[in-house]
Amino acid sequence: GLRKWFDINKSLGPLHLARAGCEWYDTGRIGLLLDAAVDLGGLHLGLSGLGVSFAPFDPKHAHPHFVLRGIEVRFRGGPVTIGGALFETTIAGAEAGAAITQYDGMLTLRAGDFTVTAFGAYALVAGAPSLFVYGVLHRELGGSPAFRVYGLAAGFGYNRRLKLPAVDQVEEFPLVKAASDPNWLDPAKTSAPGAKETKPRTDRDTVRAVLERLHAFVPPAPGQYWLAAGVRFNSFEMVDSFALLSVSFGSEFSISVLGVSRITIPAKLAPGQTPLCRADLALRAEFNPTVGEFSVQAQLGPASYVFSAACKLTGGFAFCTWFKEPNKGVQGPNKGDFVISLGGYAANFKRPAHYPLVPRLALDWVVTPQVRITGELYFALTPRCIMAGGRLSAVYDGGWVRAWFTAYADFLIAWKPYHYEARFGVLIGASATIRINLLFVKISKTFTFQLGADLAVAGPPFAGTARVHFYIVSFTINFGGERAPQRKIDWAEFRSSFLPADDAVCTANVSRGLLRERGAGDAAIPVVNAHELALDVHTQVPCTAIRWLFNGQVIGAKTLEAKTLDAPSAPLGVAMVDAPDTSLKVSELDVDITLEGAAGVPPHFNAEALYEAFPKALWSCAGDKSEGDLVTHAAAGVRLQTAPTLRGTVVVPAEGPESVTPPPCRPWRAMKQATPPRRPEASLGSLIAGDPAIEARRAAVLAVLRAITPRPLHDVDLTRTATRADTVFRSQPRFGGAGEGLRRPKVLDA
């Protein structure tokens, strides 16, 4: 609708009227608005957009609606200072849906050296509340010299998602900044030095600026929740740190750590003195099984230096691995890939999109106005190669004379077969400019001297090229003979270098349904829930065929030739093996299920193929030109799980659970519904607690439950049940499969 404001700026005692307004809505409602404030002593309470709306021409909808679009509060009395605000805003809806109305707020309390800051937001999304609250305490709480606590932080989100910032944004992330910097939202700080009216920084404008930055990081997300806890501490008066641990759960699950550290050496100096070294480090670590990624990233801040504030340090570190488990036989897109990088990657390395960006480990030192030294280093390890390198440069600029020096080195190393490439270079130069003034003629001439050499080597066998350039003359020298083709290895060397021991090439584990293990070590026997049982068989070699057998007889098979196995992203092979044909022709995985005394009976298992990613350096054909370092979606095993129709019972003899032999499974569908028995002449209480035979059978069942459940079972006392026998067990018994939940009947017999 339309809105019109009228300035008032009048005070009536403690009441200050700033402005009044009116609104006209398309629905025919009329609204009256007021901006006002109350000042009582040191308390200031401001109300923004306080209003009421009603429909004057529609009696059915004439009831008023009250609104309040913002509250500002300030209090200063003695050592106590309070400042905060709550305001209405419009944000994007849950998971980028329709826009919704949200209330953002912040409150800061300070009393002496005790400072608490809390901020949060509330919204109603699809009729359900969505909110988050985050609070920070700034106060020294004590501890040892190695870990002395100076502050705490905690928060939670309900129907909210917590999105992590990039590593270079961690230091300015509001949840981290509010806890790591006590002065960031200090209510004692004024908006302008020497201002006539002292206003805390936590007024409406500051609150809005801070919380608007959080809209993108803590958006509404129905079904998603998070908890966070942090601590700010100091170690030996040299390292100030803050670490925030958060756990997100609900529709997705992840565990993350955000942190910042600042090291200053020496720590305590007189005013005006500069520390020898300062390093600001930001940390971001996340474990996200939903995406299938574990990553740790760290990066130096722009204020880091060594020796002098003019000697700047930059750089970063990253370790990432991708492990998403197969879902219905389909792997995560990057499963099996990993990267470790310190300072980034080689210039000629094509970084995959899922690899993180890592800045160079670099030094930039302006020693004097005339002398500047720069340098950089990097190292990276991927499934395909190792790379490392560095560069050092020094420049002297004296105006009319200049001199420079540059040296660099880059390495690329592959393993098994051993192969390397390296480049080295050095450049030395100088220039001088001579200027002569003859009356009205100015003559300027620059003389340049430069000598450089570049060396490129590769092997084995060792061979390379050297290039020398002197001013305008250059020449190239080849040495070591012709470049030999990549050395091949035999299968025995490949097997001993890249495959584990024979008994570890294939592994089997219970992926679902494990209750506990009886015994320890190699003699441990798994106790499983047969109705949820899933067995995963993995192999370290990609498969061209998978067969599963029962007592030695093939009952199912999948092969690449028959196209029942999905094709991998690239042809499988062993290119480094010395063979005429390097393609992987036959790699069969056989899984045999053995059941004693049941030859020829099909097992109650369903089977599906599992897919993973394998390094191309090991498992690709010669001449493969496909992109990436991995052969993705290659068959690597089979998952066997009990069929959905498997339902059965176990008969327990009275002598105890150790001698139990499970009988063949019987589907519940083959059992007939029990005929309701007539009400016995004896009381139910006597049947429950008075029959020795029933008690013996009950004790045997209880012994089995104690043997298979991971938690201890207490003795069962049915005395109270027996005394209330007339009011229990009134409904007829109903059958259901083990593990199935029975629906509660709509009508219960009283």
Side-chain angles (χ1 to χ4, degrees), residues 61 76 123 159 249 301 321 395 528 541 565 623 626 628 712 720 738-739:
H61 302 85
R76 180 166 296 172
N159 284 330
F249 53 95
T321 181
V395 177
V528 300
V541 180
L565 275 181
S626 57
R720 184 177 179 185

Side-chain angles (χ1 to χ4, degrees), residues 6 21 178 231 341 442 505 538 545 589 607 611 724:
F6 303 93
V231 57
S341 176
K442 295 182 179 180
V505 172
H538 290 272
L589 172 66
Y611 297 87
R724 300 177 59 191

Side-chain angles (χ1 to χ4, degrees), residues 644-659:
T645 58
L646 178 61
R647 299 288 183 265
T649 59
V650 176
V651 178
V652 181
E655 51 266 26
E658 296 297 333
S659 60

